[in-house]
Amino acid sequence: MSGLTDVPREPVPETAGSYEPWVGDVLHHLAYGDQRLSEADIDTPLPEEFMLTWEGVAAILSAARKTDKKELDWTLSVEITRRLRYASDSAYIFHRKYGTPDRYKRYVRLENLFTAESDSTWGDLVEEVIGTLKDPKQEYGWRLEPAQQHEYANSVITYRREVATAERSIRRALLSRWLRLVPLVVIPLVLAVLGWGNLWPEDVPDPRTFNIVTIAVVLVLVVVFLVGFFLRVKDKEHGVRSVFLLRRDLEIIHDRWILNASKTRPTRERRNGYREHIPRVIDRLRRDTRFYRRIHNWFQWGVFFASVGTTATTAFWETPQPGKTILIVLGSFLAFATAVTGYFKFRERAYNLQQTADQVEQHATAFDLGIAPYADADAAVNLERFAENVETLRMEQRKREQQLEQPHQGQADVI
């Protein structure tokens, strides 16, 4: 007996017991080509020149639907759509539950999914097809699973709600700080003026009215301080929250969102969402354009009226007063408005933003209509090209903003 143990044993052949229980049931309902298979064919090798086609994949799915196995119920939602106009070795694979074919999805080639070996059996083929199509995370056109979609949507809503709450708390904390800081600075000055008026009443025309006004101002400042005190941001766990801590919490929210978002959505899904985000980018650019243009127009109208007022004052008032005072005020405003508009360049900023908004909108319209430069047959290529062009325009806009911040010599060097 001990000698027999030294003899090398033959490898145990693969039997039907090594397959999943449902493989035999699928073979029982499988009609492949001109032959009808059975459970006994589970260990039968594939023909020598066997080639898996999409019709074969569809036949295996059809046979799986005919079984009463609960683990194969998912096959009811899977469909194979042939790419009729092009090569026959590529097709759409989509799932009614996980996603449907759209213009952003690419046709799938057979060699990208299945690798039938020469010694494979019918059981191996059925297991490989079912096992591959069962996983919705494969890169053959499906989107995120419903649970992941629901989880991602909830994470977006939660993130935006937390950011809005944190920003509102920061604004409230800033308002509370200023409402407490201003009275603390002004009240001593008002009290000093009140003491001066009472110590030297001969310098005050009406001491009674002076005292009433100053006391009323002090009371208003006290009320403002109390309002700021009650507006402080409080937390049950940490007590009063300062502006620094609230801003740190906001940064933590942003960092946590970046980490979660990088693990949740594939690149294709982020590109699809990027296209839907473009209208908001255009609206923001146009809103900033209106803001800078409005400031520029107000300063220009002020310069016009100040220029006209200076000329009119010089012509109508021969005496030094009050014409001299008016001329001083108008001249100071002219110098201030000219310096501000020349330094901040509101008109140039508005022009650059308007130009970028028009160009981005032009690309978005061309992408939606499928015209040049987005007339490629593959929609994924168009989407990638669209994202690259829009980001290039936004980068150029940021460069122009940087040039406006530099002095003339620096602008010449950059240009």
Side-chain angles (χ1 to χ4, degrees):
M1 295 296 293
S2 61
L4 294 177
T5 57
D6 298 331
V7 178
R9 297 183 178 182
E10 296 290 336
V12 179
E14 191 175 28
T15 62
S18 62
Y19 291 99
E20 295 291 338
W22 45 262
V23 175
D25 294 340
V26 173
L27 288 173
H28 178 72
H29 296 90
L30 179 60
Y32 197 98
D34 298 332
Q35 59 178 330
R36 185 88 184 183
L37 300 175
S38 64
E39 297 182 17
D41 295 317
I42 193 171
D43 292 323
T44 303
L46 297 174
E48 293 184 0
E49 297 182 356
F50 174 82
M51 292 184 60
L52 180 65
T53 62
W54 285 115
E55 287 83 357
V57 176
I60 294 175
L61 284 175
S62 177
R65 296 187 187 106
K66 296 177 183 179
T67 64
D68 57 353
K69 298 294 184 180
K70 294 183 178 180
E71 56 265 37
L72 299 179
D73 289 344
W74 60 270
T75 58
L76 297 174
S77 301
V78 176
E79 294 186 8
I80 306 294
T81 301
R82 289 287 304 278
R83 189 176 186 181
L84 300 177
R85 296 182 180 179
Y86 302 98
S88 60
D89 60 346
S90 57
Y92 268 138
I93 304 177
F94 63 95
H95 199 293
R96 297 191 188 96
K97 184 178 180 181
Y98 293 103
T100 55
D102 55 32
R103 62 179 181 174
Y104 300 133
K105 294 183 178 177
R106 300 177 180 177
Y107 289 98
V108 183
R109 300 178 66 86
L110 278 172
E111 57 266 24
N112 295 339
L113 291 181
F114 310 109
T115 55
E117 299 179 358
S118 58
D119 57 347
S120 298
T121 62
W122 285 106
D124 297 334
L125 178 66
V126 171
E127 273 195 336
E128 184 180 7
V129 171
I130 296 296
T132 303
L133 296 181
K134 186 178 180 180
D135 186 4
K137 299 178 183 179
Q138 296 286 342
E139 291 296 331
Y140 38 72
W142 292 356
R143 295 186 177 182
L144 295 175
E145 299 181 35
Q148 293 178 342
Q149 290 180 347
H150 184 67
E151 180 182 356
Y152 178 75
N154 287 337
S155 65
V156 173
I157 295 173
T158 303
Y159 164 71
R160 293 180 178 176
R161 185 184 293 117
E162 290 179 351
V163 169
T165 303
E167 291 178 346
R168 184 167 59 251
S169 299
I170 292 174
R171 290 193 296 268
R172 179 176 174 177
L174 287 172
L175 178 62
S176 174
R177 185 172 67 180
W178 281 107
L179 290 178
R180 287 180 287 124
L181 180 62
V182 171
L184 290 177
V185 174
V186 178
I187 286 178
L189 299 178
V190 176
L191 293 177
V193 172
L194 179 62
W196 167 79
N198 287 276
L199 292 176
W200 291 276
E202 62 277 3
D203 297 336
V204 179
D206 190 355
R208 184 171 181 272
T209 304
F210 174 79
N211 291 331
I212 293 175
V213 171
T214 51
I215 292 174
V217 171
V218 171
L219 293 177
V220 171
L221 292 174
V222 170
V223 172
V224 171
F225 177 84
L226 293 177
V227 172
F229 181 80
F230 287 110
L231 284 178
R232 293 179 303 168
V233 179
K234 299 180 181 179
D235 192 338
K236 294 181 179 179
E237 298 180 358
H238 306 90
V240 179
R241 306 286 289 175
S242 63
V243 177
F244 172 79
L245 295 178
L246 293 173
R247 286 176 175 170
R248 187 193 64 181
D249 294 342
L250 180 60
E251 293 297 327
I252 293 175
I253 293 173
H254 287 307
D255 293 340
R256 186 169 62 247
W257 164 251
I258 292 173
L259 293 175
N260 293 336
S262 62
K263 301 177 182 178
T264 304
R265 305 182 73 193
T267 303
R268 188 188 314 175
E269 291 291 334
R270 291 197 294 269
R271 287 178 182 172
N272 296 343
Y274 179 83
R275 170 60 188 91
E276 303 303 326
H277 178 67
I278 290 301
R280 297 175 58 187
V281 174
I282 297 175
D283 292 339
R284 181 179 60 80
L285 291 172
R286 296 194 185 282
R287 184 170 61 251
D288 293 343
T289 300
R290 291 191 296 268
F291 172 75
Y292 287 118
R293 185 182 292 119
R294 190 179 297 115
I295 295 178
H296 175 75
N297 290 338
W298 277 109
F299 274 108
Q300 288 302 309
W301 279 108
V303 170
F304 296 155
F305 283 112
S307 301
V308 174
T310 301
T311 304
T313 301
T314 304
F316 284 106
W317 266 283
E318 297 179 356
T319 58
Q321 295 295 342
K324 185 176 180 180
T325 304
I326 298 176
L327 288 175
I328 292 175
V329 173
L330 294 178
S332 301
F333 177 77
L334 280 173
F336 173 76
T338 303
V340 169
T341 54
Y343 180 80
F344 291 102
K345 302 178 179 65
F346 299 112
R347 181 174 177 275
E348 290 78 3
R349 295 178 188 274
Y351 174 78
N352 292 336
L353 290 169
Q354 181 67 42
Q355 184 183 28
T356 304
D358 293 340
Q359 292 175 346
V360 172
E361 186 176 16
Q362 181 182 1
H363 280 278
T365 303
F367 178 79
D368 292 336
L369 297 179
I371 59 179
Y374 309 107
D376 197 280
D378 192 347
V381 175
N382 293 332
L383 184 60
E384 181 179 358
R385 187 178 302 159
F386 172 76
E388 291 177 354
N389 292 335
V390 171
E391 286 303 311
T392 300
L393 293 175
R394 297 176 67 179
M395 181 60 68
E396 293 176 354
Q397 163 63 25
R398 286 189 286 269
K399 289 181 179 180
R400 289 195 293 266
E401 291 292 332
Q402 293 174 1
Q403 291 176 3
L404 292 176
E405 298 293 340
Q406 297 176 355
H408 294 288
Q409 181 64 34
Q411 291 184 20
D413 295 339
V414 172
I415 295 174

